[in-house]
Every structure is written in C-alpha cells, then in structure tokens.
C-alpha cells in the first residue's frame, strides 16, 4: 500500500475492514483513470490472501515480505489471484473467443475466468482472510450478458471469495451491481501529490530507461494529467507532448479562423502510429482497442486545450466558439466507437473546429 500516493481515505476504508475482519465480498474501486485503483487492488489482494498479514510495530497492516504468498504474487503466478482484463480473452479455451475483437469483456470470459474458478476449492490451503480474489479491470467494458452473470455471482457469492471491480466509468455498470458492492472512490491527486509521485518514480526511472523531462514538458504533462499519475506516465511514454508541439501552431492558427489542411491527416497519422506501437509492445493487445485508445488520447488533448482557452475567454464574454469546439470533440467520440474511418473522423473534426472560429471571426467583421 505504500506505493499508493494520495489515496489515504480509500486505503483507510480498506484497512479498517481488514482490521475488523469484516470483508465485504464485492468492491467497486471507482474514479479517474491512473490514480491508483489497480495498484491498490493488487496490494489489497496480497493482504487478503496472505495468512501472515498482521499489525506491525508501526501500527500498519502488512504481510511477511518473504512469505510463500508474497513470493508467488511477486512472480505473478499466485493460483488464487485472478486478474481479468479484456486481453485475457486470448487465453480462452474457445478459438472463437480468442479470435474475437478484444474491445470488451464478454460473458464467455467471465464464465471461464471468474465463475468457474470461483466455485472450485482454493488451490493453496491457508488461513488468509480470503481464499480467492478476483480483480476485473476496466469493469465498465463488461457487456450486458457479462454484467448479468457477475450480478448473479454477487447475489450468491462463494464463501471467502472477494471480487474487486475497477472502473473509471461507474455509470456504465448496472445499478444492481453497484448496490451490491462496497464502493470506494479514488480521487485525482493534488498538485503536491503529483510532485511527490514524480520525485519517487517517473523522473528516476521509467522501465529500464532513465527519464529526464524538460521544464516545459514536465509542466505540460502535469497539467495534461490533471491529477492522474497513470495518465502522466502513459502520456510521457506515448509521446503525447510531441503531439502537442506538432499541433500547437495549427490550433493557434485555427483560433484566428485559419484552416490548416494537414491537421486532420496529421491527427489520424499520430493516432495510427500510437496504436501500432502499443500493439507491438503489448502481448495480446487488440488493434481495434489500441486505435480507440489512441483516439482517446487525441480527444483528451484537444478537449483539454479548448477548456483551458475557455477559462481565458470567459471573463471577456467570448466563450461561444470554445464551447462549440468542445462540443465538436465530444461529437467525435461516438463516431470512433462506431469504427468510422479514423482519417474521416479527424478531418471532419478539424473542419468543424475551424468552422466555429471562422464564423466567430466573420461576425467580428
């Protein structure tokens, strides 16, 4: 838990439940992406599964770091911890499931990797608080059938089995699921929390490569991340600051009503390059999911810029074009979800954004 920064309230809820030995069988960890939900879930699972977990001299709960459970967890092969993601479909018994687009979590995945193992006896005999722990990441990606299957599981949970649903879009989950879970909110980090995280991690090492950020990139990433260490790290890895440097003169020209014909193709090219790199670097990654994720980065960049400019324009009473530009960015989301050609979506978005500023410029005469 010491690796989690800025989530004292959430961690306090979990620790109190563990001290009281009143562990709810189902949890929802919700909040913005990249703020420590998954890290906390894994740390909580380590405490639940390990019979050596006890109160230390400092008053904190911790397991023996050299226990068999901790060694297995560190190696990523504890037999009673199940981490379910959309990519796990690549290991399904059914070839049709393996070959399907991995943009969601299907009911077949839930059945094989949650429901069936939950009914089996624990592989390891121990005196831990939980016999099995299931963590479903991006739980909002569960389809309707998947959510209904999980709901039935929550209604009749096996003894000493704990499930943690991690989501950044809690509203996309069934109300009946939410009502049966203990909900824990994870908030964006404060500016000081982000600075602490940077000092601890990214600027010291990222993977196996030393990382040194310029003052300009550091300041931009902190603003872009908006309190999310995970967003900052992925943005740095994915070269989103370089996107900003390339798009900045085009956006400035756009605000003056000028049209840069290469903007749409440039955005589509950056998204395609990001998605290609992600698939190459991550086993079992879905190209369709990577394309959507790359587009999400682009829309986040654009929306963040227009919101910043909106704050500047508000005191001057000139918010109209900025609000319209933000609306245009939002309108692109369903087109991307519908797998419309990315170049077409980005060219249309570029045209719509420049249109609102050109119209405002014409109105000013």
């Amino acid at each position: 838990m010491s690796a989690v920064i800025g989530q004292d309230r959430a961690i306090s809820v979990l620790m109190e439940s563990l001290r009281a030995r009143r562990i709810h069988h189902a949890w929802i960890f919700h909040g913005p992406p990249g703020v420590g939900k998954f890290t906390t879930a894994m740390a909580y699972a380590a405490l639940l599964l390990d019979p050596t977990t006890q109160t230390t001299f400092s008053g904190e709960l911790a397991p023996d770091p050299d226990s068999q459970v901790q060694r297995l967890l560190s190696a990523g092969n504890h037999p009673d911890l199940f981490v379910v993601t959309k990519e796990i479909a690549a290991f399904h018994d059914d070839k049709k499931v393996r070959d399907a687009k991995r943009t969601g979590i299907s009911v077949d995945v839930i059945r094989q990797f949650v429901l069936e193992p939950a009914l089996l006896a624990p592989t390891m005999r121990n005196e831990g608080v939980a016999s099995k722990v299931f963590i479903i990441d991006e739980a909002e990606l569960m389809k309707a059938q998947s959510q209904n299957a999980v709901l039935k599981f929550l209604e009749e949970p096996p003894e000493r089995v704990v499930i943690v649903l991690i989501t950044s879009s809690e509203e996309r989950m069934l109300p009946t699921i939410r009502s049966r879970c203990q909900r824990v909110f994870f908030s964006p980090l404060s500016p000081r929390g982000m600075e602490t995280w940077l000092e601890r991690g990214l600027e010291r090492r990222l993977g196996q490569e030393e990382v040194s950020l310029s003052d300009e990139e550091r300041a931009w990433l902190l603003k872009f991340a908006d309190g999310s260490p995970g967003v900052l790290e992925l943005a740095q890895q994915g070269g989103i600051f370089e996107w900003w440097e390339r798009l900045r003169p085009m956006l400035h020209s756009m605000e003056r009503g000028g049209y840069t014909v290469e903007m749409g193709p440039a955005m589509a090219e950056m998204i395609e390059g990001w998605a290609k790199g992600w698939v190459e670097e991550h086993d079992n990654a879905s190209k369709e999911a990577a394309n959507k994720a790359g587009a999400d980065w682009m829309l986040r960049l654009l929306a963040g810029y227009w919101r910043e400019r909106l704050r500047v324009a508000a005191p001057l009473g000139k918010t109209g074009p900025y609000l319209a530009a933000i609306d245009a960015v939002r309108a692109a989301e369903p087109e991307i979800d519908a797998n419309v050609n990315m170049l077409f979506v980005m060219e249309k978005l570029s045209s719509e954004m420049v249109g609102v500023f050109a119209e405002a410029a014409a109105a000013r005469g």
Side-chain angles (χ1 to χ4, degrees):
M1 289 291 185
S2 61
V4 182
I5 297 173
Q7 302 298 346
D8 295 348
R9 189 171 184 179
I11 290 173
S12 175
V13 171
L14 298 172
M15 293 300 96
E16 286 305 313
S17 74
L18 195 52
R19 285 192 181 93
R21 294 280 170 156
R22 294 179 180 174
I23 309 299
H24 200 279
H25 68 280
W27 300 79
I28 290 179
F29 291 3
H30 65 107
V35 295
K37 300 187 297 297
F38 185 81
T39 302
T40 302
M42 293 293 286
Y44 193 48
L47 294 171
L48 292 173
L49 290 167
D50 198 328
T52 70
T53 296
Q54 61 182 329
T55 303
T56 65
F57 290 115
S58 64
E60 300 297 322
L61 282 169
D64 177 357
D66 296 321
S67 72
Q68 181 187 16
V69 170
Q70 298 308 311
R71 290 197 299 271
L72 289 169
L73 290 169
S74 296
N77 55 16
H78 193 291
D80 294 319
L81 173 62
F82 300 81
V83 179
V84 178
T85 66
K86 60 182 180 295
E87 288 81 16
I88 203 173
F91 302 99
H92 198 277
D93 291 341
D94 190 332
K95 186 176 185 302
K96 290 182 180 178
V97 178
R98 294 197 301 270
D99 293 343
K101 294 180 179 179
R102 294 188 285 276
T103 55
I105 300 175
S106 71
V107 69
D108 298 295
V109 166
I110 293 298
R111 285 175 182 147
Q112 179 168 327
F113 298 108
V114 179
L115 304 185
E116 292 174 9
L119 296 175
L120 300 175
T123 304
M124 293 181 62
R125 292 181 176 236
N126 63 55
E127 310 246 341
V129 175
S131 61
K132 292 178 184 289
V133 177
F134 295 85
I135 298 173
I136 302 181
D137 197 18
E138 295 183 292
E140 72 276 6
L141 296 182
M142 289 191 295
K143 300 175 182 179
Q145 274 189 300
S146 305
Q147 293 204 35
N148 284 317
V150 168
L151 177 59
K152 183 172 177 56
F153 173 86
L154 299 180
E155 291 171 342
E156 301 174 6
E159 187 178 355
R160 295 179 62 232
V161 169
V162 175
I163 183 169
V164 181
L165 306 175
I166 300 174
T167 179
S168 299
S169 302
E170 190 190 20
E171 70 282 356
R172 292 171 59 184
M173 300 181 66
L174 291 174
T176 43
I177 286 182
R178 301 202 299 267
S179 67
R180 284 169 171 77
C181 294
Q182 181 77 38
R183 298 166 60 250
V184 182
F185 177 63
F186 287 73
S187 62
L189 271 63
S190 66
R192 180 57 198 151
M194 291 295 291
E195 293 286 354
T196 300
W197 179 82
L198 272 176
E199 290 163 7
R200 278 198 197 179
L202 184 69
E203 290 188 326
R204 185 175 71 252
R205 298 190 68 82
L206 182 65
Q208 297 300 315
E209 298 179 3
E210 294 290 341
V211 172
S212 179
L213 302 177
S214 68
D215 290 343
E216 182 183 6
E217 182 177 5
R218 190 176 192 273
W220 187 87
L221 286 170
L222 282 168
K223 182 166 58 177
F224 179 78
D226 195 22
S228 170
V231 167
L232 191 152
E233 184 168 341
L234 287 174
Q236 196 281 332
Q237 288 176 314
I240 309 302
F241 178 69
E242 286 72 23
W243 288 13
W244 161 244
E245 289 188 312
R246 185 174 175 186
L247 292 175
R248 176 168 46 186
M250 302 181 194
L251 290 168
H252 290 172
S253 174
M254 181 179 287
E255 285 187 83
R256 296 190 295 271
Y259 182 65
T260 307
V261 68
E262 65 266 24
M263 184 171 181
M267 291 192 295
E269 174 197 324
M270 286 184 267
I271 293 168
E272 173 67 23
W274 187 95
K276 182 179 179 182
W278 182 267
V279 171
E280 289 175 350
E281 294 171 12
H282 295 81
D283 293 339
N284 306 311
S286 161
K287 183 62 163 61
E288 292 79 9
N291 280 333
K292 185 180 182 305
D296 287 345
W297 282 115
M298 182 61 70
L299 298 185
R300 183 186 181 106
L301 186 158
L302 294 171
Y305 176 72
W306 295 131
R307 282 195 296 268
E308 181 184 353
R309 297 297 297 148
L310 177 64
R311 285 191 287 269
V312 174
L316 305 175
K318 300 179 179 179
T319 60
Y322 297 101
L323 290 170
I326 292 171
D327 286 342
V329 173
R330 288 175 177 164
E333 292 179 4
E335 295 174 347
I336 293 166
D337 289 339
N339 293 318
V340 176
N341 180 273
M342 194 65 69
L343 177 59
F344 175 79
V345 174
M346 291 299 124
E347 286 189 322
K348 179 173 176 281
L349 174 57
S350 176
S351 177
E352 289 176 346
M353 290 189 300
V354 75
V356 300
F357 288 102
E359 184 178 335
R364 291 194 301 268

